[in-house]
Amino acid sequence: MNNFNTDKIQYFAIAGSIVFLLFVILLVRNKKIKEEYSVLWLFFGIVFLIISLWRDLLLLISSFIGIAYPPIAFILILIFSIFLILIQYSVIISNLKEKNKNLVQRLGLLEHEIKKLEDKTDKQ
Amino acid sequence: MQILIIVPAYNEEKNIIKVIESLKEQNHFWDILVINDCSEDDTSNVANSFGKAEVIDLCSNIGIGGAVQTGFKYAQKHNYDVSVQFDGDGQHIASEIPKLLKPILEKESDVVVGSRFLIKHEGYKSTSYRRFGIKIFQVINSILIRKKITDNTSGFRAYNKNAIEFLSKNYPADYPEPESIIILAKNGFSIKEVHTEMKRREEGKSSISGIKNFVYMVNVLLAILMNSIRQKIKIKKSI
């Protein structure tokens, strides 16, 4: 039991980060994600790649912010990144909602105007 | 002096005729604009068939705020001097409109709100729960804008040209009545309340009831507080 190989998880973490980064890059290349919305994904992908390559970094971070158990520092970074990306979505959705509202209003006003013009030409 | 009555309507086929009729009965020179907020019933046809009101149909439901704002955009485009917001559900009384118009025409105020609570009376009765909510808005809004507004949720209002121009760009979408009081006051518009009678709803149920009441209160309070910490919007006043 004691010769448990902790290197294994490192290989998985490196492979996972690289696959994740490639996946995001592929989505951007195929225009499934706009560049500006891929920034946070790519940034955190790189952060996770760095953490998996440089294992001591996690120890440094946890001792710096006073976490006794280093994996918690990792979970913390993960949760923080997800929060940030979700907040970004709220911003994007709010922005889209405002634009959508303006479009619906403009469309209603224009349709009304077209109807008025049609009525006018019908009378002539 | 051109006056536009903005009537937001969502699924009001049973009320809208009476509303338009009562507005026309007043025999004033005002125009009536019904904004049909993508009703599922026959509101649009019913309002149109009457021939006494202009009807704008919205292709998606964008809520009362968005619907009323469409009216402000229309008013601004067609150069109306005054617009009156008048609910399509029949709770506002057309013969009370002159009370709203008077302070605007006399250039006494930019915005006039018809209030149910300015004078104690028997006309409008509501549940104690509801009255509690109204009281909270009263206190909070009054503190925030340093002026007592008794009926923050009233949708019976009149606006002058400057206010129309401002609101066509900045009308809140979610809880427009209490929010717009804050936004308007914050941006230097004068608000005056006048006492007006209102009826109870004739057909259908109000959109606010039960547990939704509580959620509504929390959301409105949040929206009000957020608006109060927002920066003043830069505007050009035409006069």
Side-chain angles (χ1 to χ4, degrees):
Chain A
M1 282 299 273
N2 281 336
N3 52 12
F4 192 85
N5 187 358
T6 52
D7 283 348
K8 252 193 195 166
I9 181 60
Q10 188 173 16
Y11 305 143
F12 277 117
I14 293 168
S17 305
I18 290 172
V19 168
F20 175 76
L21 275 172
L22 288 177
F23 181 58
V24 175
I25 290 167
L26 194 73
L27 284 173
V28 178
R29 198 196 69 159
N30 295 346
K31 298 192 173 169
K32 303 283 180 199
I33 303 181
K34 285 202 170 292
E35 285 84 347
E36 55 174 316
Y37 303 138
S38 69
V39 174
L40 279 178
W41 288 121
L42 290 172
F43 174 75
F44 286 108
I46 291 166
V47 167
F48 291 123
L49 184 61
I50 292 170
I51 290 173
S52 41
L53 285 169
W54 181 18
R55 291 178 69 160
D56 290 344
L57 182 65
L58 215 49
L59 297 174
L60 284 171
I61 293 171
S62 28
S63 70
F64 182 73
I65 53 178
I67 294 173
Y69 184 55
I72 295 295
F74 178 76
I75 302 287
L76 206 65
I77 296 168
L78 188 68
I79 291 173
F80 176 72
S81 60
I82 292 170
F83 265 36
L84 212 63
I85 287 166
L86 285 178
I87 288 171
Q88 188 195 26
Y89 282 161
S90 294
V91 172
I92 295 164
I93 291 168
S94 305
N95 187 5
L96 282 175
K97 196 177 170 189
E98 177 68 23
K99 284 179 179 165
N100 181 57
K101 184 197 79 183
N102 287 336
L103 275 176
V104 171
Q105 290 175 332
R106 177 64 73 87
L107 188 63
L109 289 164
L110 287 177
E111 268 181 353
H112 179 259
E113 210 147 286
I114 289 172
K115 214 179 120 223
K116 286 269 122 181
L117 286 172
E118 278 175 355
D119 290 351
K120 217 186 235 174
T121 43
D122 281 352
K123 271 178 201 158
Q124 282 170 357
Chain B
M1 181 71 65
Q2 276 192 298
I3 298 170
L4 180 71
I5 313 285
I6 300 170
V7 185
Y10 176 64
N11 292 348
E12 299 288 1
E13 61 178 10
K14 291 188 176 119
N15 293 315
I16 199 73
I17 281 284
K18 272 184 258 172
V19 168
I20 297 172
E21 222 160 28
S22 72
L23 283 166
K24 269 295 160 195
E25 241 168 49
Q26 287 302 307
N27 208 16
H28 277 280
F29 44 91
W30 53 51
D31 296 332
I32 303 168
L33 176 69
V34 175
I35 314 284
N36 167 34
D37 192 10
C38 203
S39 297
E40 283 146 14
D41 66 3
D42 216 20
T43 302
S44 172
N45 283 331
V46 170
N48 246 322
S49 66
F50 210 47
K52 288 177 178 169
E54 299 291 329
V55 179
I56 289 184
D57 293 304
L58 301 177
C59 59
S60 300
N61 182 273
I62 53 173
I64 176 118
V68 171
Q69 192 182 31
T70 311
F72 292 136
K73 288 183 177 179
Y74 180 93
Q76 207 207 348
K77 201 170 176 184
H78 294 84
N79 221 12
Y80 281 94
D81 302 293
V82 183
S83 61
V84 175
Q85 190 185 331
F86 192 90
D87 279 359
D89 62 4
Q91 69 163 318
H92 298 155
I93 301 165
S95 57
E96 299 280 284
I97 292 178
K99 286 192 198 167
L100 292 187
L101 292 176
K102 199 168 162 265
I104 301 255
L105 301 180
E106 288 170 357
K107 299 204 184 303
E108 206 186 305
S109 183
D110 298 315
V111 179
V112 181
V113 177
S115 169
R116 291 160 282 187
F117 313 115
L118 213 53
I119 303 171
K120 286 219 164 24
H121 66 295
E122 302 84 46
Y124 185 89
K125 287 203 180 70
S126 70
T127 61
S128 58
Y129 189 70
R130 207 167 178 155
R131 224 169 303 157
F132 174 71
I134 285 160
K135 193 82 203 166
I136 288 186
F137 291 148
Q138 251 181 42
V139 172
I140 291 185
N141 260 8
S142 302
I143 290 171
L144 288 174
I145 68 170
R146 288 174 198 86
K147 183 183 168 130
K148 189 167 184 188
I149 300 291
T150 58
D151 198 352
N152 289 282
T153 55
S154 160
F156 190 31
R157 297 174 176 189
Y159 303 93
N160 73 3
K161 214 167 187 169
N162 283 331
I164 293 170
E165 194 195 344
F166 176 76
L167 292 173
S168 71
K169 294 185 189 75
N170 303 298
Y171 199 61
D174 300 325
Y175 309 99
E177 285 86 14
E179 274 187 72
S180 59
I181 296 273
I182 301 280
I183 299 176
L184 284 161
K186 229 187 138 149
N187 288 283
F189 290 92
S190 53
I191 302 169
K192 185 187 163 77
E193 274 194 306
V194 295
H195 173 74
T196 53
E197 297 293 332
M198 283 186 205
K199 281 184 275 188
R200 293 186 73 102
R201 289 179 58 89
E202 284 168 2
E203 298 276 349
K205 274 187 175 169
S206 167
S207 48
I208 310 157
S209 61
I211 185 79
K212 275 188 188 162
N213 239 325
F214 180 73
V215 177
Y216 172 82
M217 284 284 303
V218 172
N219 283 335
V220 176
L221 286 176
L222 182 69
I224 287 173
L225 292 174
M226 286 296 174
N227 274 306
S228 68
I229 58 172
R230 250 174 221 148
Q231 292 215 314
K232 201 175 156 180
I233 299 157
K234 288 197 181 77
I235 37 160
K236 286 176 278 175
K237 280 210 178 184
S238 54
I239 304 161

